[in-house]
Amino acid sequence: MSTTQATRKAPPVRPGDRVFAGLSTGAGILILVILAGVGIFLTAKGIPGILAKPDEVKSGQHFLPWVWPLVYGTLIAATIALLIAVPVAIGVALFISHYAPRRLGQIFGYLIDLLAAVPSVVYGLWGIQFLAPHMVPFYAWLNKHLSFIPFFGEPSATGRTILTACIVLAVMILPIMTAICREIFLQTPRLHEEAALALGATKWEMARLAIFPYARSGIVSAAMLGLGRALGETLAVAMVLSVTAGEVTANLIGSSNPSTIAANIALNFKESTGLSVNALIASGLVLFIITFLVNFAARALVERRSEFSGAN
Amino acid sequence: MTTTLSRPVDVFDELRGAQLPSWGPRAVFGLAVVVGVGTYFLGLGVFRSVVLAWFICLSVPLWSLAIEGKRKATDRLVTTLVTSAFGLALLPLISILWIVISKGSKVLSTEFFTYSMRNVVGPGGGIYHALIGTLLITGAASVMSIPIGLFTSIYLVEYGQQNRLARWIRFLVDVMTGIPSIVAGLFAYALFALIFGDGIRLGIGGSVALSVLMIPVVVRSCEEMLKLVPNELREASYALGVPKWRTVAKVVLPTALAGIVTGITLAIARVIGETAPLLIIAGTTDSVNMDLFKDRMATLPVFAYSSISSPGFPPGPSIDRAWGAALVLLIIVMLLNLIARLVSYFFSPKGER
Amino acid sequence: MNRNPLRYAAPTAAALVLALSLSACGASNESDSSDGASTGAAKVTGTLNAGGSTAQQAAVAAWTKAFQTTNSGVTVNYDPVGSGGGREQFIAGGLQVAGSDAALTDDELAKAKTKCKSDVVEVPTYVSPIAVIFNVKGVDKLNLSPKTLGGIFQGTITTWNDAAIKADNPDATLPATKITAVHRSDDSGTTQNFTDYLDQTSEGAWTGKAVQTWPVKGGEGAEGTSGVVAAVKGGDGTIGYADESQAGDLGKASIKVGSDFTAPTAAAASKVLDASEQVSGRAATDIAITVNRKVTDSAVYPIVLVSYQIACQKYDDKAQAALVKAWLTYVTSADGQQVAASSAGSAPLSSAFVTKAQTAVATIAGA
């Protein structure tokens, strides 16, 4: 708003307003700078690693053939984890916000919030000591009855497979996704809900008509946050997953699994020197680009769909 | 006339159609529990008994389909599914919580909270140094992220609204929520290595890494909360001649306070347990370090990780300490949550739910 | 809006808690006063920045405790960045002492000499037997020859009742269970030493050479020693390699040395250094060892991890030199070795090696 053509209606612009607007805009721009910073620093440190010759890095391979199995493993693990976690998170959030008795829902919500802070080491230990051994008979069963599906090949004897890692990841991203979905479900305008019920909708129809359209962008946000965690989760995957360098396989229950980018960084960062470190940082850049693309796609999808939805 | 009166009309039946008896679902659920527990004790595995019990629960929607029709049956099916999703999620969560509490509570003692690991080998020692480190690093991360995040969300809601910059910021904040924690750690490492040389380990580096993870969560949740503040409040304030910045500071923010505090707590909970970035940039040490800008700093998650990965001999005490550290993290987050709830309880202008 | 007193109480309380926690500087067990028994030998003071090998971490913690107790003005920081990182940071000048699971390469040695402007002191400080651990139902004793071991980890021997394993264990009843060979998925000196052993002794059954990163496809990877132990424990028919001290109650295979089978014990492991040769062509202070994996004396256990500490011979700062010297003197002393043995499960250096190492360390001086 310009001060020169100030009419009686427009409030005068005061210094306080200027400062406040400046601060807010500055904060917004700072975020862009940080994000650009992340990209630039990773690129600057990563490029020598991308250009390194095979005999200069420990892997003994060019960058692309080296990073490709890791990208594959990362995508597989995150996708399956998200497939498991999203429906469950929505279900749990809906249960807490609309199905459970209110007091009980609050207690459960509180419990689940707590789990967002459990360090990944604990999930890793839980995965390797508790979950993996319990999955062994299940994997043997899958292999026996469903081995015609390429996902269920030769089973592992310890259960430390990529599917186990996916389950651990799903459990890890569940709390934060549930917390966000729950908050958004609770914010659905009361009037929308009551209008739906008054028209004779069942509870489920009410959820479909009033809650979900309202919450769609929030659910996508929650899923993206979960995906970010799943893509980038490091130590839990490193501890649970039995990895074989350079493996690309469809078998989800075998003992040779592709590693993920993040786990690979954690496993090799300590003992790496020189260009090998740059190669690891470059793989981090690849991970960053993947998250960027996935978010881009998800945003585009939500924006297009929200045009047709009346609730937003 | 008299004939209709002699046959009393079931008003509910006329209005809603046939219904399952109100005890029906509960009875089926009870049956499922009995069958599940029974078959478990009869020697069927845990997994199979649970699946069996679950299938029995699924008979409610079928029953409903026969009596109440398709819409009601779908509704009941969804209720069953939502509840079982909850049960499914609760199993691992409770089991993890139980392990942490039962294994971690063994080591809690005054010594555990007041001792560091300096000159400690074998049993004994404590997490004081890691506790201080976690509080300082997370605190510094919050000091950086909360103003940036809050002001950004104010920009998005109050100033930018739908302009080009705001749309870009909104999109990039979403991208930022997806930044993997290890990438944030590598970024912080790369940044500080550029300034101070390779091999740098600094507490403040950890704060920077955590901020990168925390800012987008703060922005998202604050933005959602600010959007919920009714426009009428703003307009009423403007009508009284209050400048915009005072309106935001005195009307909008207090109205949204409860939600903002919850969002910030959630953001802190999300980063306080991060291990990988801190492992890369903050490192670990056995002694207390109060200076964020100098030398390595231990934190609870990294402490737990290194206690498990190089436990010494015999490994027992070190692993116990790791569980203890995990439990303390849980307790910190619990306290934070409690404070957040108290804040929303006392300071919200009004609560609908 | 309600004017609730708590509105002000809560932030105040939070500030109070923060102030309290910050004012309580220092942990109860950390006192910065340097009193205490001031008798005894000349004391050193200062900060020693060391780092590197993660394998040595537990031992260093024990040494640090004892060293800091006798020299209360000293702080030792050991950063377990990994052996490679330790060597690199030592050469770059960030660390005064590096811990490393492998001796400096010729290339690194040249760089280190330039940096130090003197020779380098490199002494073995930590010897740990690497046990071959297994978990097979119904088998609690296992003998393995190097060739069989190589075949198992190469993936050519796939079941427990394979003829090769039977030949090594004529009395045992071996099940037909599939073998799951567990290896380290992170880069490690343990893998380096284990594959070095296989490379030299397995008569071609192992083709992966001696490397830090597990070279062979197949088998199962696990993170860190604790990961390998957990994986072996968690499955049936599993076999893996880990520091003997971390093996817990798992079965440990005896390895064929010469004509007999030797169990992994600290005593048997420490003998391997005496049976090995020093790398030739290096300065007298550089005690880099080529571990003799092919010993034939069955009292010796040849699968060991030898970890070094590396320092400069000359330091510009006299106090720094004195500190490094005092530290390494303690670490390589019989006392220091015993402390590591009891709290990290390592094999103490033999007395001959203690003398050798102490002689090398004695040359450290200020420029």
Side-chain angles (χ1 to χ4, degrees):
Chain A
M1 53 186 100
S2 59
T3 42
T4 44
Q5 38 173 201
T7 59
R8 279 238 241 46
K9 271 183 170 177
V13 174
R14 287 161 239 222
D17 261 340
R18 287 250 177 85
V19 171
F20 207 71
L23 271 178
S24 313
T25 320
I29 291 171
L30 189 62
I31 288 194
L32 301 189
V33 171
I34 292 174
L35 201 67
V38 173
I40 289 169
F41 278 113
L42 289 178
T43 315
K45 281 261 165 188
I47 281 186
I50 297 176
L51 299 178
K53 295 189 184 63
D55 53 340
E56 290 173 330
V57 289
K58 238 177 3 183
S59 58
Q61 280 177 302
H62 278 293
F63 183 71
L64 276 183
W66 172 70
V67 86
W68 149 243
L70 299 175
V71 172
Y72 172 81
T74 307
L75 291 179
I76 288 275
T79 312
I80 297 177
L82 208 61
L83 283 181
I84 299 173
V86 167
V88 177
I90 292 176
V92 173
L94 203 58
F95 182 83
I96 292 174
S97 65
H98 285 85
Y99 281 79
R102 200 176 140 202
R103 190 157 283 271
L104 209 63
Q106 274 176 348
I107 294 173
F108 286 139
Y110 191 64
L111 265 184
I112 287 176
D113 282 355
L114 278 189
L115 283 154
V118 174
S120 35
V121 191
V122 171
Y123 285 103
L125 280 179
W126 177 76
I128 192 171
Q129 290 179 353
F130 179 81
L131 185 64
H134 281 85
M135 296 302 280
V136 173
F138 179 59
Y139 290 152
W141 182 86
L142 279 179
N143 175 249
K144 202 169 154 199
H145 299 281
L146 298 171
S147 59
F148 57 89
I149 306 174
F151 294 149
F152 307 122
E154 185 67 18
S156 154
T158 55
R160 297 170 54 254
T161 70
I162 198 154
L163 191 56
T164 307
C166 290
I167 295 174
V168 173
L169 280 179
V171 174
M172 291 184 75
I173 63 180
L174 203 59
I176 192 105
M177 285 169 66
T178 308
I180 293 175
C181 288
R182 186 191 65 210
E183 287 298 316
I184 288 164
F185 290 167
L186 282 174
Q187 283 161 20
T188 315
R190 254 278 164 77
L191 290 177
H192 290 200
E193 293 177 10
E194 280 165 5
L197 291 175
L199 289 173
T202 60
K203 206 165 196 171
W204 163 237
E205 286 160 347
M206 183 271 281
R208 237 182 39 203
L209 293 172
I211 302 178
F212 288 159
Y214 180 82
R216 182 181 290 132
S217 88
I219 294 176
V220 172
S221 279
M224 285 303 112
L225 192 59
L227 184 70
R229 275 205 110 170
L231 282 173
E233 179 46 50
T234 311
L235 291 171
V237 177
M239 287 167 85
V240 170
L241 191 59
S242 154
V243 297
T244 302
E247 181 80 30
V248 176
T249 170
N251 186 3
L252 298 179
I253 60 171
S255 52
S256 297
N257 300 285
S259 185
T260 69
I261 291 177
N264 185 60
I265 293 176
L267 290 175
N268 297 319
F269 197 76
K270 270 196 302 204
E271 297 288 336
S272 289
T273 53
L275 280 172
S276 302
V277 173
N278 293 102
L280 288 177
I281 292 181
S283 72
L285 178 66
V286 172
L287 185 55
F288 181 60
I289 293 170
I290 293 175
T291 48
F292 204 96
L293 291 179
V294 168
N295 268 286
F296 202 87
R299 264 312 100 183
L301 203 74
V302 173
E303 304 247 302
R304 195 169 312 145
R305 294 191 64 175
S306 65
E307 282 167 24
F308 298 102
S309 132
N312 282 352
Chain B
M1 260 317 207
T2 44
T3 46
T4 44
L5 273 178
S6 66
R7 191 169 60 89
V9 177
D10 186 342
V11 185
F12 288 107
D13 211 41
E14 293 282 307
L15 276 176
R16 300 197 296 203
Q19 270 201 311
L20 293 188
S22 63
W23 47 264
R26 256 172 277 166
V28 174
F29 181 70
L31 179 73
V33 170
V34 169
V35 170
V37 173
T39 47
Y40 173 68
F41 279 111
L42 286 177
L44 212 60
V46 182
F47 182 69
R48 285 177 201 198
S49 342
V50 170
V51 170
L52 188 68
W54 190 69
F55 271 109
I56 294 178
C57 289
L58 274 189
S59 69
V60 175
L62 287 178
W63 186 10
S64 162
L65 185 63
I67 295 181
E68 294 177 325
K70 204 173 139 204
R71 281 180 55 215
K72 283 272 172 76
T74 317
D75 187 43
R76 290 201 190 270
L77 178 68
V78 171
T79 307
T80 317
L81 287 182
V82 164
T83 316
S84 43
F86 181 73
L88 186 71
L90 222 53
L91 281 182
L93 298 184
I94 296 272
S95 111
I96 288 171
L97 218 50
W98 174 249
I99 292 178
V100 173
I101 292 173
S102 63
K103 292 202 177 184
S105 56
K106 277 192 299 191
V107 290
L108 296 191
S109 64
T110 334
E111 185 185 334
F112 192 66
F113 285 103
T114 54
Y115 273 47
S116 70
M117 286 305 293
R118 190 182 160 90
N119 292 355
V120 174
V121 168
I127 54 161
Y128 184 76
H129 59 310
L131 194 61
I132 291 289
T134 286
L135 291 180
L136 284 178
I137 288 181
T138 319
S142 310
V143 166
M144 284 187 271
S145 329
I146 294 173
I148 296 179
L150 194 56
F151 273 111
T152 304
S153 61
I154 290 173
Y155 174 76
L156 290 178
V157 177
E158 306 292 333
Y159 292 94
Q161 286 159 356
Q162 285 304 320
N163 73 19
R164 209 182 177 79
L165 180 63
R167 284 223 303 273
W168 267 103
I169 292 177
R170 223 168 257 136
F171 167 65
L172 289 175
V173 163
D174 276 345
V175 171
M176 230 172 144
T177 56
I179 290 185
S181 58
I182 189 130
V183 170
L186 286 177
F187 160 67
Y189 175 77
L191 178 67
F192 282 87
L194 220 59
I195 303 172
F196 298 104
D198 277 336
I200 185 77
R201 298 283 189 283
L202 278 182
I204 194 74
S207 305
V208 169
L210 294 189
S211 296
V212 171
L213 298 171
M214 201 173 157
I215 288 173
V217 186
V218 176
V219 175
R220 287 288 320 179
S221 48
C222 290
E223 191 197 346
E224 294 294 330
M225 291 308 149
L226 292 181
K227 270 202 275 188
L228 287 180
V229 176
N231 263 331
E232 289 85 341
L233 284 182
R234 294 190 183 92
E235 281 154 13
S237 172
Y238 295 150
L240 291 171
V242 181
K244 186 161 189 174
W245 74 275
R246 280 185 72 90
T247 307
V248 174
K250 294 280 177 183
V251 177
V252 179
L253 284 182
T255 313
L257 184 72
I260 289 174
V261 171
T262 315
I264 288 172
T265 318
L266 205 66
I268 295 178
R270 186 232 185 286
V271 298
I272 202 168
E274 282 295 347
T275 319
L278 296 179
L279 197 63
I280 290 179
I281 176 70
T284 181
T285 168
D286 286 344
S287 311
V288 175
N289 176 10
M290 294 288 205
D291 191 349
L292 277 170
F293 298 92
K294 193 166 161 281
D295 291 341
R296 301 172 166 78
M297 207 174 216
T299 48
L300 287 172
V302 175
F303 174 77
Y305 174 71
S306 57
S307 298
I308 282 171
S309 60
S310 46
F313 176 77
S318 183
I319 290 170
D320 287 346
R321 280 194 295 267
W323 287 110
L327 179 61
V328 171
L329 257 184
L330 271 190
I331 294 173
I332 292 176
V333 174
M334 197 169 78
L335 291 177
L336 276 174
N337 265 312
L338 209 65
I339 293 171
R341 302 233 160 184
L342 287 179
V343 168
S344 10
Y345 184 78
F346 284 112
F347 303 136
S348 300
K350 63 179 173 107
E352 209 187 321
R353 288 167 206 264
Chain C
M1 229 181 309
N2 54 346
R3 289 273 162 201
N4 197 304
L6 266 169
R7 184 184 206 88
Y8 304 102
T12 319
L16 206 68
V17 168
L18 196 70
L20 270 178
S21 65
L22 288 182
S23 65
C25 276
S28 307
N29 57 330
E30 290 185 30
S31 59
D32 46 2
S33 62
S34 45
D35 56 330
S38 53
T39 49
K43 283 197 170 183
V44 285
T45 52
T47 303
L48 179 68
N49 286 317
S53 159
T54 45
Q56 286 196 44
Q57 199 181 350
V60 170
W63 289 324
T64 306
K65 176 191 175 183
F67 192 65
Q68 285 178 164
T69 315
T70 34
N71 305 284
S72 50
V74 171
T75 298
V76 180
N77 292 321
Y78 187 83
D79 191 17
V81 287
S83 303
R87 293 200 299 273
E88 194 170 65
Q89 287 180 31
F90 173 73
I91 290 168
L95 299 172
Q96 287 122 32
V97 173
S100 170
D101 297 347
L104 291 169
T105 60
D106 290 341
D107 188 32
E108 285 170 333
L109 184 63
K111 282 188 204 157
K113 276 183 178 168
T114 321
K115 175 74 199 171
C116 288
K117 296 182 228 115
S118 68
D119 268 326
V120 167
V121 174
E122 188 168 30
V123 285
T125 51
Y126 177 84
V127 179
S128 171
I130 301 170
V132 175
I133 51 177
F134 63 94
N135 185 13
V136 188
K137 260 187 205 130
V139 181
D140 41 51
K141 258 182 68 81
L142 192 65
N143 291 332
L144 291 172
S145 66
K147 194 175 177 184
T148 317
L149 193 61
I152 290 174
F153 279 93
Q154 179 78 30
T156 48
I157 296 175
T158 54
T159 55
W160 280 104
N161 58 2
D162 190 280
I165 304 180
K166 268 189 181 154
D168 288 342
N169 303 275
D171 306 327
T173 44
L174 294 160
T177 324
K178 212 182 88 190
I179 296 179
T180 304
V182 184
H183 57 82
R184 290 280 290 268
S185 58
D186 51 338
D187 295 355
S188 76
T190 312
T191 301
Q192 167 93 38
N193 280 282
F194 185 67
T195 50
D196 182 42
Y197 171 77
L198 292 181
D199 186 45
Q200 290 194 32
T201 59
S202 68
E203 302 162 38
W206 170 257
T207 61
K209 300 273 179 343
V211 286
Q212 254 191 0
T213 315
W214 190 253
V216 180
K217 282 207 177 196
E220 182 150 326
E223 193 250 350
T225 301
S226 52
V228 171
V229 172
V232 169
K233 232 177 226 169
D236 183 25
T238 47
I239 185 167
Y241 57 93
D243 288 312
E244 192 267 340
S245 58
Q246 301 297 324
D249 50 3
L250 283 168
K252 294 172 225 165
S254 296
I255 301 299
K256 188 166 196 177
V257 182
S259 55
D260 215 348
F261 292 91
T262 311
T265 58
S270 62
K271 285 186 187 131
V272 79
L273 285 194
D274 301 304
S276 305
E277 282 177 12
Q278 259 175 261
V279 178
S280 59
R282 294 209 173 183
T285 53
D286 187 347
I287 314 179
I289 291 166
T290 317
V291 179
N292 181 5
R293 310 287 183 189
K294 295 179 177 173
V295 284
T296 47
D297 176 1
S298 56
V300 178
Y301 184 78
I303 317 181
V304 294
L305 166 89
V306 179
S307 195
Y308 302 85
Q309 286 193 11
I310 306 166
C312 291
Q313 197 178 22
K314 296 267 183 293
Y315 289 88
D316 290 339
D317 182 358
K318 278 215 168 72
Q320 193 63 260
L323 178 57
V324 172
K325 186 175 174 179
W327 164 257
L328 284 178
T329 306
Y330 172 69
V331 164
T332 52
S333 69
D335 259 4
Q337 288 296 310
Q338 203 48 53
V339 165
S342 58
S343 59
S346 66
L349 292 172
S350 67
S351 56
F353 250 89
V354 167
T355 321
K356 213 190 265 184
Q358 297 261 335
T359 320
V361 171
T363 64
I364 297 176

